[in-house]
Coordinates of all heavy atoms in Angstrom, one line a residue:
E1 N -9.2 7.0 -3.3 CA -9.0 8.4 -3.7 C -8.0 9.0 -2.8 O -7.2 9.8 -3.2 CB -10.3 9.1 -3.6 CG -11.3 8.8 -4.7 CD -12.6 9.5 -4.6 OE1 -12.6 10.6 -4.0 OE2 -13.6 9.0 -5.2
K2 N -8.0 8.7 -1.5 CA -7.0 9.3 -0.6 C -5.6 8.9 -1.0 O -4.7 9.7 -0.9 CB -7.3 8.8 0.9 CG -8.6 9.4 1.4 CD -8.8 9.0 2.8 CE -10.0 9.5 3.4 NZ -10.2 9.1 4.8
I3 N -5.4 7.6 -1.3 CA -4.1 7.1 -1.7 C -3.6 7.9 -3.0 O -2.5 8.4 -3.0 CB -4.1 5.6 -2.0 CG1 -4.3 4.9 -0.6 CG2 -2.8 5.2 -2.6 CD1 -4.4 3.4 -0.7
A4 N -4.5 8.0 -3.9 CA -4.1 8.8 -5.2 C -3.8 10.2 -4.9 O -2.8 10.7 -5.4 CB -5.3 8.7 -6.2
A5 N -4.5 10.9 -4.0 CA -4.3 12.3 -3.7 C -3.0 12.5 -3.0 O -2.3 13.5 -3.1 CB -5.4 12.8 -2.9
H6 N -2.6 11.5 -2.1 CA -1.3 11.6 -1.4 C -0.1 11.3 -2.2 O 0.9 12.0 -2.1 CB -1.4 10.6 -0.2 CG -0.1 10.7 0.6 ND1 0.1 11.6 1.6 CD2 1.0 9.9 0.6 CE1 1.2 11.4 2.2 NE2 1.8 10.3 1.6
F7 N -0.2 10.3 -3.1 CA 1.0 9.9 -3.8 C 1.1 10.5 -5.2 O 2.2 10.4 -5.8 CB 1.0 8.4 -3.9 CG 1.3 7.7 -2.6 CD1 0.3 7.2 -1.8 CD2 2.6 7.6 -2.1 CE1 0.5 6.6 -0.6 CE2 2.9 7.0 -0.9 CZ 1.8 6.5 -0.1
F8 N 0.1 11.0 -5.8 CA 0.1 11.6 -7.1 C -0.2 13.0 -7.1 O -1.3 13.4 -6.7 CB -0.8 10.8 -8.1 CG -0.5 9.4 -8.2 CD1 -1.0 8.4 -7.4 CD2 0.3 8.9 -9.3 CE1 -0.7 7.1 -7.5 CE2 0.7 7.6 -9.4 CZ 0.2 6.7 -8.5
R9 N 0.8 13.9 -7.5 CA 0.6 15.3 -7.5 C -0.2 15.8 -8.7 O -0.8 16.9 -8.6 CB 2.0 16.0 -7.5 CG 2.8 15.6 -6.3 CD 2.2 16.2 -5.0 NE 3.0 15.9 -3.9 CZ 2.6 15.4 -2.8 NH1 1.3 15.1 -2.6 NH2 3.4 15.1 -1.8
E10 N -0.1 15.1 -9.8 CA -0.8 15.5 -11.0 C -2.0 14.7 -11.2 O -2.3 13.8 -10.4 CB 0.2 15.4 -12.2 CG 1.5 16.1 -12.0 CD 2.6 15.6 -12.9 OE1 2.3 14.7 -13.7 OE2 3.7 16.1 -12.9
T11 N -2.7 14.8 -12.3 CA -3.8 14.0 -12.7 C -3.3 12.5 -12.8 O -2.2 12.3 -13.4 CB -4.4 14.4 -14.0 OG1 -4.8 15.7 -13.9 CG2 -5.6 13.5 -14.3
I12 N -3.9 11.6 -12.1 CA -3.5 10.2 -12.1 C -3.9 9.6 -13.4 O -5.1 9.7 -13.8 CB -4.0 9.5 -10.9 CG1 -3.4 8.1 -10.8 CG2 -5.5 9.5 -10.8 CD1 -3.7 7.4 -9.5
E13 N -3.0 8.9 -14.0 CA -3.4 8.2 -15.3 C -4.2 7.0 -15.0 O -4.2 6.4 -14.0 CB -2.1 7.7 -16.0 CG -1.1 8.9 -16.4 CD -1.7 9.8 -17.5 OE1 -2.5 9.3 -18.3 OE2 -1.5 11.0 -17.4
Q14 N -5.1 6.6 -16.0 CA -6.0 5.5 -15.9 C -5.3 4.2 -15.5 O -5.8 3.4 -14.7 CB -6.8 5.4 -17.2 CG -7.9 4.4 -17.0 CD -9.0 4.8 -16.1 OE1 -9.2 6.0 -15.8 NE2 -9.7 3.9 -15.5
D15 N -4.1 4.0 -16.1 CA -3.4 2.7 -15.9 C -2.9 2.7 -14.4 O -2.9 1.6 -13.8 CB -2.2 2.5 -16.8 CG -1.1 3.5 -16.7 OD1 -1.4 4.7 -16.5 OD2 0.0 3.1 -16.8
A16 N -2.6 3.8 -13.8 CA -2.2 3.9 -12.4 C -3.3 3.6 -11.5 O -3.2 2.8 -10.5 CB -1.6 5.2 -12.1
V17 N -4.5 4.1 -11.9 CA -5.7 3.8 -11.1 C -6.0 2.3 -11.1 O -6.3 1.6 -10.1 CB -7.0 4.5 -11.6 CG1 -8.2 4.1 -10.9 CG2 -6.8 6.0 -11.5
I18 N -5.9 1.7 -12.3 CA -6.1 0.2 -12.4 C -5.1 -0.6 -11.6 O -5.5 -1.5 -10.9 CB -6.1 -0.2 -13.9 CG1 -7.4 0.4 -14.6 CG2 -6.1 -1.7 -14.1 CD1 -7.4 0.4 -16.1
R19 N -3.8 -0.2 -11.7 CA -2.8 -0.9 -10.9 C -3.1 -0.8 -9.4 O -2.9 -1.8 -8.7 CB -1.4 -0.3 -11.2 CG -0.8 -0.7 -12.5 CD 0.7 -0.5 -12.6 NE 1.1 0.9 -12.2 CZ 1.2 1.9 -13.0 NH1 0.9 1.9 -14.2 NH2 1.6 3.1 -12.4
I20 N -3.5 0.4 -8.9 CA -3.8 0.5 -7.5 C -4.9 -0.4 -7.1 O -4.9 -1.1 -6.1 CB -4.1 2.0 -7.1 CG1 -2.8 2.8 -7.3 CG2 -4.7 2.1 -5.7 CD1 -3.1 4.3 -7.2
Y21 N -6.0 -0.4 -7.9 CA -7.1 -1.2 -7.5 C -6.8 -2.7 -7.6 O -7.2 -3.5 -6.7 CB -8.3 -1.0 -8.5 CG -9.2 0.2 -8.0 CD1 -9.1 1.4 -8.7 CD2 -9.9 0.2 -6.9 CE1 -9.9 2.5 -8.3 CE2 -10.7 1.2 -6.5 CZ -10.7 2.4 -7.2 OH -11.4 3.5 -6.8
L22 N -6.0 -3.1 -8.6 CA -5.6 -4.5 -8.7 C -4.7 -4.9 -7.6 O -4.9 -6.0 -7.0 CB -4.9 -4.8 -10.1 CG -5.8 -4.9 -11.3 CD1 -5.0 -5.0 -12.6 CD2 -6.7 -6.1 -11.2
H23 N -3.8 -4.1 -7.2 CA -2.9 -4.4 -6.1 C -3.7 -4.5 -4.8 O -3.5 -5.5 -4.1 CB -1.8 -3.3 -5.9 CG -0.7 -3.8 -5.0 ND1 0.5 -4.2 -5.5 CD2 -0.7 -3.9 -3.7 CE1 1.2 -4.6 -4.4 NE2 0.5 -4.4 -3.3
A24 N -4.6 -3.6 -4.6 CA -5.4 -3.7 -3.4 C -6.3 -4.9 -3.3 O -6.4 -5.6 -2.3 CB -6.3 -2.4 -3.3
A25 N -6.9 -5.2 -4.5 CA -7.8 -6.4 -4.5 C -7.0 -7.7 -4.3 O -7.4 -8.5 -3.5 CB -8.5 -6.5 -5.9
C26 N -5.8 -7.8 -4.9 CA -5.0 -9.0 -4.7 C -4.5 -9.1 -3.2 O -4.4 -10.1 -2.6 CB -3.8 -9.0 -5.6 SG -4.3 -9.2 -7.3
M27 N -4.1 -7.9 -2.7 CA -3.6 -7.8 -1.3 C -4.7 -8.3 -0.3 O -4.5 -9.2 0.5 CB -3.2 -6.4 -0.9 CG -2.8 -6.2 0.5 SD -2.6 -4.4 0.9 CE -4.2 -3.8 0.7
F28 N -5.9 -7.8 -0.5 CA -7.0 -8.2 0.4 C -7.4 -9.7 0.2 O -7.7 -10.3 1.2 CB -8.3 -7.3 0.2 CG -8.1 -5.9 0.8 CD1 -8.3 -4.8 0.1 CD2 -7.8 -5.8 2.2 CE1 -8.1 -3.5 0.7 CE2 -7.7 -4.6 2.8 CZ -7.8 -3.4 2.0
D29 N -7.3 -10.2 -1.0 CA -7.5 -11.6 -1.2 C -6.5 -12.4 -0.5 O -6.9 -13.4 0.1 CB -7.5 -11.9 -2.7 CG -7.9 -13.3 -3.0 OD1 -9.0 -13.8 -2.6 OD2 -7.1 -14.0 -3.7
R30 N -5.2 -12.1 -0.6 CA -4.2 -12.8 0.1 C -4.4 -12.8 1.6 O -4.2 -13.8 2.2 CB -2.8 -12.3 -0.3 CG -2.3 -12.6 -1.6 CD -0.8 -12.2 -1.8 NE -0.6 -10.8 -1.7 CZ -0.6 -9.9 -2.7 NH1 -0.9 -10.3 -3.9 NH2 -0.4 -8.7 -2.4
V31 N -4.7 -11.7 2.1 CA -5.0 -11.6 3.6 C -6.2 -12.4 3.9 O -6.1 -13.2 4.9 CB -5.2 -10.1 4.0 CG1 -5.7 -10.0 5.5 CG2 -3.9 -9.3 3.8
H32 N -7.2 -12.4 3.1 CA -8.4 -13.2 3.4 C -8.1 -14.7 3.5 O -8.6 -15.4 4.3 CB -9.5 -12.9 2.4 CG -10.7 -13.7 2.5 ND1 -11.6 -13.5 3.6 CD2 -11.2 -14.7 1.8 CE1 -12.6 -14.4 3.5 NE2 -12.4 -15.2 2.4
V33 N -7.3 -15.2 2.6 CA -7.0 -16.6 2.5 C -5.8 -17.0 3.3 O -5.2 -18.1 3.3 CB -6.9 -17.1 1.1 CG1 -8.2 -17.0 0.3 CG2 -5.7 -16.5 0.3
K34 N -5.3 -16.0 4.1 CA -4.2 -16.2 5.0 C -2.9 -16.6 4.3 O -2.1 -17.4 4.7 CB -4.5 -17.2 6.1 CG -5.6 -16.7 7.0 CD -6.0 -17.7 8.1 CE -7.1 -17.2 9.0 NZ -8.0 -16.2 8.7
E35 N -2.6 -15.9 3.2 CA -1.4 -16.1 2.4 C -0.7 -14.8 2.1 O -0.2 -14.5 1.1 CB -1.7 -16.8 1.1 CG -2.3 -18.2 1.2 CD -2.6 -18.9 -0.1 OE1 -2.4 -18.3 -1.2 OE2 -3.0 -20.1 0.0
S36 N -0.7 -14.0 3.2 CA -0.1 -12.6 3.0 C 1.4 -12.7 2.7 O 2.1 -13.6 3.1 CB -0.3 -11.9 4.4 OG -1.6 -11.7 4.7
L37 N 1.8 -11.7 2.0 CA 3.3 -11.6 1.7 C 4.0 -11.3 2.9 O 3.6 -10.5 3.8 CB 3.5 -10.5 0.6 CG 2.8 -10.7 -0.7 CD1 3.0 -9.5 -1.6 CD2 3.4 -11.9 -1.4
L38 N 5.2 -11.9 3.1 CA 6.0 -11.7 4.2 C 6.8 -10.4 4.0 O 6.9 -9.9 2.9 CB 7.0 -12.8 4.4 CG 6.4 -14.2 4.6 CD1 7.5 -15.2 4.7 CD2 5.7 -14.2 5.9
E39 N 7.3 -9.8 5.1 CA 8.0 -8.6 5.0 C 9.3 -8.8 4.1 O 10.0 -9.7 4.4 CB 8.4 -8.1 6.4 CG 8.9 -6.6 6.4 CD 8.9 -6.1 7.8 OE1 7.9 -6.0 8.5 OE2 10.1 -5.7 8.2
P40 N 9.5 -8.0 3.1 CA 10.6 -8.2 2.2 C 11.9 -7.9 2.8 O 12.0 -7.1 3.8 CB 10.3 -7.3 1.0 CG 9.4 -6.3 1.5 CD 8.7 -6.9 2.6
A41 N 13.0 -8.4 2.3 CA 14.4 -8.1 2.8 C 14.7 -6.6 2.7 O 15.4 -6.1 3.5 CB 15.4 -8.9 2.0
W42 N 14.1 -5.9 1.8 CA 14.4 -4.5 1.6 C 13.5 -3.6 2.4 O 13.5 -2.4 2.2 CB 14.3 -4.2 0.1 CG 13.2 -4.8 -0.7 CD1 13.3 -6.0 -1.4 CD2 11.9 -4.4 -0.8 NE1 12.1 -6.3 -1.9 CE2 11.2 -5.3 -1.6 CE3 11.1 -3.3 -0.2 CZ2 9.8 -5.2 -1.8 CZ3 9.8 -3.2 -0.5 CH2 9.1 -4.2 -1.3
A43 N 12.7 -4.2 3.3 CA 11.7 -3.4 4.1 C 12.4 -2.3 4.9 O 12.0 -1.2 5.0 CB 10.9 -4.3 4.9
D44 N 13.6 -2.7 5.5 CA 14.3 -1.7 6.4 C 14.7 -0.5 5.6 O 14.6 0.6 6.0 CB 15.5 -2.4 7.0 CG 15.2 -3.3 8.2 OD1 14.1 -3.1 8.8 OD2 16.0 -4.1 8.5
S45 N 15.2 -0.7 4.4 CA 15.6 0.4 3.5 C 14.4 1.3 3.2 O 14.5 2.5 3.3 CB 16.2 -0.1 2.2 OG 16.5 0.9 1.3
L46 N 13.3 0.7 2.8 CA 12.1 1.5 2.5 C 11.5 2.2 3.8 O 11.1 3.3 3.7 CB 11.0 0.5 1.9 CG 9.8 1.2 1.2 CD1 10.3 2.0 0.0 CD2 8.8 0.2 0.7
R47 N 11.6 1.5 4.9 CA 11.1 2.1 6.2 C 11.9 3.4 6.5 O 11.4 4.4 6.9 CB 11.3 1.1 7.3 CG 10.7 1.5 8.6 CD 10.8 0.4 9.7 NE 11.5 -0.8 9.4 CZ 10.9 -2.0 9.2 NH1 9.6 -2.1 9.2 NH2 11.6 -3.1 8.9
K48 N 13.2 3.3 6.2 CA 14.1 4.5 6.5 C 13.9 5.6 5.5 O 14.0 6.8 5.8 CB 15.6 4.1 6.6 CG 15.9 3.2 7.8 CD 17.3 2.7 7.7 CE 17.6 1.7 8.8 NZ 18.8 1.0 8.6
D49 N 13.7 5.2 4.2 CA 13.6 6.1 3.1 C 12.2 6.8 3.0 O 12.2 8.0 2.6 CB 13.9 5.4 1.8 CG 14.1 6.3 0.6 OD1 14.7 7.4 0.8 OD2 13.6 6.0 -0.5
R50 N 11.2 6.1 3.4 CA 9.8 6.7 3.2 C 8.9 6.4 4.5 O 7.8 5.9 4.3 CB 9.2 6.0 2.0 CG 10.0 6.2 0.8 CD 9.4 5.5 -0.4 NE 8.1 6.0 -0.8 CZ 7.4 5.5 -1.8 NH1 7.8 4.5 -2.5 NH2 6.2 6.1 -2.1
P51 N 9.3 6.9 5.6 CA 8.5 6.6 6.8 C 7.2 7.2 6.8 O 6.2 6.6 7.3 CB 9.4 7.1 8.0 CG 10.3 8.1 7.4 CD 10.5 7.6 6.0
E52 N 7.1 8.5 6.3 CA 5.8 9.1 6.3 C 4.8 8.5 5.3 O 3.6 8.3 5.6 CB 5.9 10.6 5.9 CG 6.7 11.4 7.0 CD 8.2 11.4 6.7 OE1 8.6 10.9 5.6 OE2 9.0 11.8 7.6
D53 N 5.3 8.1 4.2 CA 4.5 7.4 3.2 C 4.0 6.1 3.7 O 2.9 5.7 3.5 CB 5.3 7.1 1.9 CG 5.5 8.4 1.1 OD1 4.8 9.4 1.3 OD2 6.4 8.4 0.2
F54 N 4.9 5.3 4.4 CA 4.5 4.0 5.0 C 3.4 4.2 6.0 O 2.4 3.5 5.9 CB 5.7 3.3 5.7 CG 5.3 2.1 6.3 CD1 5.1 0.9 5.6 CD2 5.1 2.0 7.7 CE1 4.7 -0.3 6.2 CE2 4.7 0.8 8.3 CZ 4.5 -0.3 7.6
L55 N 3.5 5.2 6.9 CA 2.5 5.4 7.9 C 1.2 5.8 7.3 O 0.1 5.4 7.7 CB 3.0 6.4 9.0 CG 4.1 5.9 9.9 CD1 4.6 7.0 10.8 CD2 3.7 4.7 10.7
Y56 N 1.2 6.7 6.3 CA 0.0 7.2 5.6 C -0.7 6.0 4.9 O -1.9 5.8 5.1 CB 0.4 8.2 4.6 CG -0.9 8.8 3.9 CD1 -1.6 9.8 4.4 CD2 -1.4 8.1 2.8 CE1 -2.7 10.3 3.9 CE2 -2.6 8.6 2.2 CZ -3.2 9.7 2.7 OH -4.4 10.2 2.2
L57 N 0.1 5.2 4.2 CA -0.5 4.0 3.5 C -1.1 3.0 4.5 O -2.1 2.4 4.3 CB 0.5 3.4 2.6 CG 0.0 2.3 1.7 CD1 -1.1 2.8 0.8 CD2 1.1 1.7 0.8
K58 N -0.3 2.8 5.6 CA -0.8 1.8 6.6 C -2.1 2.2 7.2 O -3.0 1.4 7.3 CB 0.3 1.6 7.7 CG -0.1 0.6 8.7 CD 1.1 0.4 9.7 CE 0.7 -0.7 10.7 NZ 1.8 -1.4 11.2
K59 N -2.2 3.5 7.5 CA -3.5 4.0 8.0 C -4.6 3.9 7.0 O -5.8 3.5 7.3 CB -3.3 5.5 8.5 CG -4.5 6.1 9.1 CD -4.3 7.5 9.6 CE -5.5 8.0 10.3 NZ -5.3 9.4 10.7
A60 N -4.4 4.3 5.8 CA -5.4 4.2 4.7 C -5.9 2.8 4.5 O -7.1 2.5 4.4 CB -4.9 4.8 3.4
I61 N -4.9 1.8 4.5 CA -5.3 0.4 4.3 C -6.0 -0.1 5.5 O -7.0 -0.8 5.4 CB -4.0 -0.4 4.0 CG1 -3.5 -0.1 2.6 CG2 -4.3 -1.9 4.1 CD1 -2.2 -0.7 2.3
A62 N -5.6 0.3 6.7 CA -6.3 -0.2 7.9 C -7.8 0.3 7.9 O -8.7 -0.4 8.3 CB -5.6 0.3 9.2
T63 N -8.0 1.6 7.4 CA -9.3 2.1 7.4 C -10.2 1.3 6.4 O -11.3 1.0 6.6 CB -9.3 3.6 7.0 OG1 -8.5 4.3 7.9 CG2 -10.7 4.2 6.8
A64 N -9.6 1.0 5.2 CA -10.3 0.2 4.2 C -10.6 -1.2 4.7 O -11.6 -1.9 4.3 CB -9.5 0.2 2.9
A65 N -9.7 -1.8 5.5 CA -9.8 -3.2 5.9 C -10.7 -3.3 7.1 O -11.2 -4.4 7.4 CB -8.4 -3.7 6.3
L66 N -11.0 -2.3 7.8 CA -11.9 -2.3 9.0 C -13.2 -3.0 8.7 O -13.6 -3.9 9.4 CB -12.0 -0.9 9.6 CG -12.6 -0.9 11.0 CD1 -11.8 -1.7 12.0 CD2 -12.7 0.6 11.4
P67 N -14.0 -2.5 7.7 CA -15.3 -3.1 7.4 C -15.2 -4.6 7.0 O -16.1 -5.3 7.2 CB -15.9 -2.3 6.3 CG -15.1 -1.1 6.2 CD -13.7 -1.4 6.8
L68 N -14.0 -5.0 6.5 CA -13.8 -6.4 6.1 C -13.3 -7.2 7.3 O -13.1 -8.4 7.1 CB -12.8 -6.4 5.0 CG -13.1 -5.6 3.7 CD1 -11.9 -5.6 2.8 CD2 -14.3 -6.1 3.0
Q69 N -13.1 -6.6 8.4 CA -12.6 -7.3 9.6 C -11.3 -8.0 9.3 O -11.1 -9.1 9.7 CB -13.6 -8.2 10.2 CG -14.9 -7.5 10.6 CD -16.0 -8.5 11.2 OE1 -15.9 -9.7 11.0 NE2 -16.9 -7.9 11.9
M70 N -10.4 -7.2 8.7 CA -9.1 -7.8 8.3 C -8.0 -6.9 9.0 O -8.2 -5.7 9.1 CB -8.9 -7.8 6.8 CG -9.7 -8.7 6.1 SD -9.2 -8.6 4.3 CE -10.3 -9.8 3.7
E71 N -6.9 -7.5 9.2 CA -5.7 -6.7 9.6 C -4.6 -7.0 8.6 O -4.2 -8.2 8.4 CB -5.2 -7.1 11.0 CG -4.1 -6.2 11.5 CD -3.8 -6.5 13.0 OE1 -4.7 -6.8 13.8 OE2 -2.6 -6.5 13.3
V72 N -4.2 -6.0 7.9 CA -3.2 -6.2 6.8 C -1.8 -6.1 7.4 O -1.4 -5.1 8.0 CB -3.4 -5.2 5.7 CG1 -2.3 -5.3 4.6 CG2 -4.8 -5.3 5.1
P73 N -1.0 -7.2 7.3 CA 0.4 -7.1 7.8 C 1.3 -6.2 7.1 O 1.1 -5.8 5.9 CB 0.9 -8.6 7.7 CG 0.0 -9.2 6.6 CD -1.3 -8.4 6.6
D74 N 2.4 -5.7 7.8 CA 3.3 -4.8 7.2 C 3.9 -5.2 5.9 O 4.2 -4.4 5.0 CB 4.4 -4.4 8.2 CG 3.9 -3.5 9.3 OD1 2.7 -3.1 9.3 OD2 4.7 -3.3 10.2
G75 N 4.2 -6.5 5.7 CA 4.8 -7.0 4.5 C 3.9 -6.6 3.3 O 4.5 -6.2 2.2
E76 N 2.6 -6.7 3.4 CA 1.8 -6.3 2.3 C 1.9 -4.8 2.0 O 1.9 -4.4 0.9 CB 0.3 -6.7 2.6 CG 0.0 -8.2 2.5 CD 0.0 -8.8 1.1 OE1 0.0 -8.0 0.1 OE2 -0.1 -10.0 1.0
I77 N 2.0 -4.1 3.1 CA 2.0 -2.6 2.9 C 3.3 -2.2 2.3 O 3.3 -1.3 1.4 CB 1.8 -1.9 4.3 CG1 0.4 -2.3 4.8 CG2 2.0 -0.4 4.2 CD1 0.2 -1.9 6.3
Y78 N 4.4 -2.9 2.6 CA 5.7 -2.6 1.9 C 5.7 -2.8 0.4 O 6.2 -2.0 -0.3 CB 6.9 -3.3 2.6 CG 7.3 -2.7 3.9 CD1 7.1 -3.4 5.1 CD2 7.8 -1.5 4.0 CE1 7.5 -2.9 6.3 CE2 8.2 -0.9 5.2 CZ 8.0 -1.6 6.4 OH 8.3 -1.1 7.6
Y79 N 5.1 -4.0 0.1 CA 5.0 -4.2 -1.4 C 4.1 -3.2 -2.1 O 4.4 -2.8 -3.2 CB 4.5 -5.7 -1.6 CG 5.5 -6.7 -1.5 CD1 5.7 -7.4 -0.3 CD2 6.4 -6.9 -2.5 CE1 6.7 -8.4 -0.2 CE2 7.4 -7.9 -2.4 CZ 7.6 -8.6 -1.3 OH 8.6 -9.5 -1.2
F80 N 3.0 -2.8 -1.4 CA 2.1 -1.8 -2.0 C 2.8 -0.5 -2.2 O 2.8 0.1 -3.2 CB 0.9 -1.7 -1.1 CG -0.3 -1.1 -1.8 CD1 -1.6 -1.3 -1.3 CD2 -0.3 -0.3 -2.9 CE1 -2.7 -0.8 -1.9 CE2 -1.4 0.3 -3.5 CZ -2.6 0.0 -3.0
L81 N 3.5 -0.1 -1.1 CA 4.2 1.2 -1.1 C 5.3 1.2 -2.2 O 5.5 2.2 -2.9 CB 4.9 1.4 0.3 CG 5.6 2.7 0.4 CD1 4.8 3.9 0.1 CD2 6.2 2.8 1.8
S82 N 6.0 0.0 -2.4 CA 7.0 0.0 -3.4 C 6.5 0.2 -4.8 O 7.3 0.6 -5.7 CB 7.8 -1.3 -3.3 OG 7.0 -2.4 -3.8
S83 N 5.2 0.1 -5.0 CA 4.6 0.3 -6.3 C 4.1 1.7 -6.5 O 3.6 2.1 -7.6 CB 3.4 -0.7 -6.6 OG 2.3 -0.3 -5.7
L84 N 4.2 2.5 -5.5 CA 3.7 3.9 -5.5 C 4.9 4.9 -5.6 O 6.0 4.6 -5.1 CB 2.9 4.2 -4.3 CG 1.6 3.4 -4.2 CD1 1.0 3.6 -2.8 CD2 0.6 3.7 -5.3
P85 N 4.7 6.1 -6.2 CA 5.8 7.1 -6.3 C 6.1 7.7 -5.0 O 5.2 7.8 -4.1 CB 5.3 8.1 -7.3 CG 3.8 7.9 -7.3 CD 3.5 6.5 -6.9
K86 N 7.3 8.1 -4.8 CA 7.7 8.9 -3.6 C 7.0 10.2 -3.6 O 6.8 10.8 -4.6 CB 9.2 9.1 -3.6 CG 10.1 7.9 -3.3 CD 11.5 8.2 -3.3 CE 11.9 8.7 -1.9 NZ 13.4 8.8 -1.8
T87 N 6.7 10.7 -2.4 CA 6.0 12.0 -2.3 C 6.9 13.1 -2.0 O 6.5 14.3 -2.1 CB 4.9 11.9 -1.2 OG1 5.5 11.6 0.1 CG2 3.8 10.9 -1.5
N88 N 8.1 12.9 -1.5 CA 9.0 14.0 -1.2 C 10.4 13.7 -1.7 O 10.8 12.7 -2.1 CB 9.1 14.3 0.2 CG 9.3 13.0 1.1 OD1 9.7 12.0 0.6 ND2 9.0 13.2 2.4

């Protein structure tokens, strides 16, 4: 819910909710089996373009990963962020 409230200004469409849940589930599965996505070549561009969004998403994911005793690498966060709309 926090991710949706931060990245979506209007009512979030059902397909967007499903995409977010699927992306998160696949991300946590990859981290669990130690097959996390590497940081993409375009990460620097995204880091410069959306620093606040990256930090917000990283914190939200870290909070969700804490009970699972997982640490999600930045590469996964960049791919997740690239699937979400810009906030500013």
Side-chain angles (χ1 to χ4, degrees):
E1 290 181 22
K2 290 181 181 182
I3 291 173
H6 180 83
F7 289 98
F8 295 90
R9 300 290 181 230
E10 305 161 358
T11 302
I12 185 170
E13 297 295 326
Q14 188 67 25
D15 66 320
V17 173
I18 292 169
R19 282 195 317 268
I20 290 170
Y21 277 110
L22 283 174
H23 192 102
C26 292
M27 175 187 67
F28 284 123
D29 184 57
R30 284 190 300 270
V31 172
H32 176 71
V33 298
K34 298 180 179 16
E35 294 179 1
S36 300
L37 298 174
L38 299 175
E39 197 167 296
W42 40 265
D44 283 338
S45 175
L46 196 61
R47 186 178 4 254
K48 291 174 186 170
D49 191 40
R50 301 177 67 183
E52 296 87 12
D53 288 345
F54 176 79
L55 292 175
Y56 183 89
L57 186 59
K58 183 172 181 154
K59 184 177 178 183
I61 289 173
T63 301
L66 192 61
L68 303 171
Q69 298 180 341
M70 292 182 180
E71 188 173 324
V72 178
D74 286 355
E76 289 285 353
I77 297 167
Y78 284 114
Y79 278 101
F80 201 157
L81 181 57
S82 72
S83 71
L84 296 170
K86 287 179 84 168
T87 58
N88 47 17

